[in-house]
Amino acid sequence: MTAALILAAVVLPEDGKRKPTDALGEVSSIKRIIMVFQQAGIKKIVVVTGSDADALEKHCAHMGVIFLRSETYETGDMLSSVKAGLAYLKNKCSKVFITPVHIPLFSAETVKSMDSADGPVVIPKYNEQAGHPLLLFKSLFKNVLNYDGQGGLSGALSGEDIARHFVEVSDQGILTDTRNSANVSDLIETQGLQTIRPEAKIRLLGEKEFFGPGTLLLLNLTQETGSLKQAAQQMGVSYSKALKMIAGMENQLGYTILESRQGGSGGGSSIITKRGLDFMKRYEAFESECNERIKGAFEKYF
């Protein structure tokens, strides 16, 4: 599986400089990057946040992404954010796109063409200039995680034995830094967000809606971390909201989904029940089949 890592752990910009949550056409920079990756079929997207993390997470809540908070963003060391993301993703994907939040104008077509290229490092080029995002294969995750030299991510990947695969693209957005580019408004009109495409979110309703992609992500993160509270934080929702989501699901289904266990040196934990895991598995299979049929219907009618 291919994942994406968005580096948004930046010091808040000076007055007049663009922030990740500022509008870039119809959507903000951070939302645009998330949407482009999702349009390209990337389902696991991690955003590393720093200054103003609460506002950024609230801004992107319900987009189905996972948030990690950097404790070292004030140093301006982007490599530490990369390491935080790779440490989280190292057992969850086979390769990962990496991009800073201030380069948001690359297209879904660029992502797709890079994803089909050979690794271990894939870099897009426009008019002989290399840009973002970078695609890093799992075989190099350890190199980056163990690197403590100079030059940031470039330094970690500077070994002569590391092959780089350049992909030529007709996408000026891979070079466009929104912090200082004058032609951002012109590029917005040429990028692929305006392409007509189907997007369906499969939700289950009883007396009211009780399960959907957000609830599934919450349960998956809870299973992963062993903590509903930590799962809620990684989703960018409040703990009280997470409790309500679980309660609504359990009330509708009539059985327990999540069990809390107390004690131990690490405190309590949250465990998904066997019936809960079975429900998640059936929902995922149902969602996958629905999406395949929707794609077929879209191709038929549009």
Side-chain angles (χ1 to χ4, degrees), residues 5-281:
L5 176 59
I6 303 172
L7 309 175
V10 294
V11 178
L12 284 175
E14 302 172 0
D15 291 343
K17 296 289 186 178
R18 189 182 300 276
K19 301 176 184 177
T21 53
D22 287 346
L24 190 65
E26 296 296 322
V27 298
S28 63
S29 296
I30 181 65
K31 283 188 176 182
R32 186 182 187 90
I33 297 176
I34 293 170
M35 291 169 69
V36 165
F37 279 131
Q38 290 174 337
Q39 184 180 342
I42 309 299
K43 294 185 177 180
K44 186 173 287 293
I45 301 173
V46 174
V47 180
V48 181
T49 63
S51 61
D52 208 21
D54 288 334
L56 193 148
E57 291 167 7
K58 183 178 180 181
H59 178 73
C60 298
H62 311 299
M63 292 192 74
V65 301
I66 298 164
F67 298 101
L68 302 177
R69 293 196 177 191
S70 169
E71 302 299 329
T72 60
Y73 68 88
E74 291 181 336
T75 67
D77 179 13
M78 193 170 289
L79 181 60
S80 64
S81 293
V82 174
K83 287 184 175 182
L86 292 184
Y88 174 79
L89 288 166
K90 62 183 179 181
N91 296 319
K92 301 179 178 69
C93 66
S94 59
K95 48 189 173 179
V96 58
F97 283 97
I98 302 173
T99 192
V101 72
H102 53 266
I103 303 182
L105 288 171
F106 55 88
S107 69
E109 288 70 26
T110 290
V111 174
K112 291 177 183 178
S113 63
M114 291 177 65
D115 199 21
S116 62
D118 295 328
V121 181
V122 183
I123 304 168
K125 290 182 73 174
Y126 174 80
N127 284 352
E128 299 303 314
Q129 296 184 67
H132 287 84
L134 174 147
L135 181 60
L136 186 68
F137 281 56
K138 188 175 182 178
S139 60
L140 292 180
F141 287 9
K142 189 175 181 179
N143 295 53
V144 177
L145 289 169
N146 293 337
Y147 184 74
D148 58 3
Q150 301 296 315
L153 182 58
S154 295
L157 301 175
S158 62
E160 294 182 359
D161 58 332
I162 298 177
R164 292 163 180 77
H165 187 117
F166 291 95
V167 176
E168 289 286 347
V169 296
S170 57
D171 181 2
Q172 188 177 347
I174 69 167
L175 306 176
T176 305
D177 187 332
T178 57
R179 296 172 303 180
N180 48 36
S181 292
N183 63 339
V184 170
S185 58
D186 295 333
L187 277 175
I188 292 172
E189 300 301 322
T190 67
Q191 300 306 92
L193 279 182
Q194 296 172 338
T195 302
I196 297 175
R197 62 195 183 278
E199 180 177 327
K201 297 184 184 298
I202 309 302
R203 296 182 169 88
L204 303 180
L205 290 77
E207 294 180 353
K208 56 182 179 180
E209 180 184 322
F210 72 93
F211 199 85
T215 323
L216 178 65
L217 178 59
L218 178 66
L219 290 178
N220 278 328
L221 290 174
T222 301
Q223 182 182 20
E224 180 183 298
T225 62
S227 167
L228 179 64
K229 188 173 185 179
Q230 187 176 343
Q233 182 177 9
Q234 289 185 350
M235 279 185 64
V237 301
S238 67
Y239 183 49
S240 60
K241 171 66 173 178
L243 288 171
K244 289 180 181 178
M245 291 167 70
I246 299 300
M249 182 182 177
E250 292 181 334
N251 288 338
Q252 180 61 47
L253 294 178
Y255 53 80
T256 301
I257 296 297
L258 204 63
E259 293 179 344
S260 297
R261 297 182 181 177
Q262 305 296 324
S265 59
S269 61
S270 301
I271 307 296
I272 300 175
T273 64
K274 184 177 180 179
R275 295 184 76 177
L277 291 171
D278 176 70
F279 185 88
M280 292 165 62
K281 183 178 180 180

